[in-house]
Amino acid sequence: MHAALAGPLLAALLATARARPQPPDAGQCRPPGSQRDLNSFLWTIRRDPPAYLFGTIHVPYTRVWDFIPDNSKAAFQASARVYFELDLTDPYTISALASCQLLPHGENLQDVLPRELYWRLKRHLDYVKLMMPSWMTPAQRGKGLYADYLFNAIAGNWERKRPVWVMLMVNSLTETDVRSRGVPVLDLYLAQRAEKMKKSTGAVERVEEQCHPLNGLNFSQLSSGDYNSTNLTVSL
């Protein structure tokens, strides 16, 4: 996406980032009363053996695990092969995703954003870095996850990233999201479980199929879209 188009939306995001309310239970849903209260997002392809389609979402699995019905968990347990949107356990996938976020030809974000917007962004990230130690939970610190490391893991090399990826980064740098870092998102959690259970795993998409369309979004598409993408898990 062209920097001139990304600028207005990034500016609006920065304007509201610090003022966003953070209730104590932000991001948490009420536990279900019973299995009958749960909606199943599982689709079955009737064959022998059956195949299943299950939609996941990029949130810490602890936020949604109690809301996944038993039939979906049973389908995962019984499946010998599990295919994910991307293989997030593969170091090459992580490396390729990071590379795809970078500006081309060695460009720097300071070169493509309006000067004032760039400095507003820098001040906001300085503020986040200052606040992050107070946002961390005792459980995170107990696991050896500290603020400086976490900030660098999320925002490291931000000056080299394309504006669209910087917008997504800023959108995730809230107290609620920071406090849930260190917990695998649902699709990664399922992939880790599949590996432990010695299931055959794979991916249905390549990194380029994920990254290039996002890099090509124009302003109208991005401003009307949903930042929280959905994954497709296919269990066979």
Side-chain angles (χ1 to χ4, degrees):
M1 185 181 65
H2 196 278
L5 299 179
L9 189 55
L10 180 56
L13 188 57
L14 287 171
T16 59
R18 296 194 198 183
R20 190 178 303 168
Q22 299 292 333
D25 60 346
Q28 300 299 324
C29 300
R30 294 183 180 179
S34 69
Q35 280 288 311
R36 289 179 300 178
D37 298 327
L38 296 175
N39 290 320
S40 175
F41 298 98
L42 183 74
W43 293 76
T44 303
I45 301 174
R46 300 191 183 280
R47 57 186 288 272
D48 188 19
Y52 304 99
L53 297 177
F54 181 68
T56 61
I57 189 169
H58 293 294
V59 297
Y61 83 93
T62 50
R63 292 189 187 178
V64 296
W65 189 249
D66 289 341
F67 299 87
I68 297 176
D70 288 343
N71 66 337
S72 300
K73 294 176 180 177
F76 177 82
Q77 183 80 18
S79 298
R81 296 188 296 275
V82 186
Y83 294 87
F84 298 90
E85 181 184 19
L86 293 175
D87 184 0
L88 297 179
T89 64
D90 182 1
Y92 167 77
T93 299
I94 305 303
S95 175
L97 282 171
S99 297
C100 189
Q101 297 178 20
L102 299 180
L103 286 162
H105 314 303
E107 289 180 315
N108 189 291
L109 196 60
Q110 191 170 9
D111 301 327
V112 299
L113 282 184
R115 178 179 176 83
E116 161 139 8
L117 180 57
Y118 173 82
W119 286 108
R120 284 177 61 192
L121 173 62
K122 190 176 187 308
R123 287 194 299 270
H124 177 71
L125 292 178
D126 288 342
Y127 161 79
V128 170
K129 188 173 184 178
L130 179 67
M131 295 298 298
M132 193 171 280
S134 67
W135 293 349
M136 302 286 291
T137 67
Q140 287 173 316
R141 288 189 286 270
K143 295 177 181 177
L145 192 62
Y146 291 94
D148 285 345
Y149 169 82
L150 188 57
F151 181 84
N152 288 330
I154 300 172
N157 208 24
W158 65 269
E159 293 178 311
R160 287 276 292 111
K161 292 185 177 182
R162 295 171 184 263
V164 62
W165 294 100
V166 174
M167 283 192 296
L168 296 175
M169 178 192 75
V170 170
N171 198 48
S172 69
L173 281 172
T174 66
E175 181 176 356
T176 298
D177 285 326
V178 166
R179 291 171 70 88
S180 66
R181 292 285 176 158
V183 178
V185 293
L186 179 59
D187 43 336
L188 178 57
Y189 174 70
L190 290 173
Q192 292 171 339
R193 288 195 63 180
E195 280 197 336
K196 289 180 181 179
M197 298 167 73
K198 307 298 183 184
K199 298 179 183 292
S200 175
T201 61
V204 297
E205 293 185 10
R206 295 178 293 112
V207 169
E208 294 78 12
E209 293 172 321
Q210 285 274 301
C211 203
H212 291 173
L214 188 56
N215 285 346
L217 288 177
N218 62 41
F219 176 69
S220 62
Q221 289 170 320
L222 188 62
S223 62
S224 64
D226 184 353
Y227 295 130
N228 208 0
S229 60
T230 302
N231 289 339
L232 177 68
T233 302
V234 183
S235 306
L236 298 177

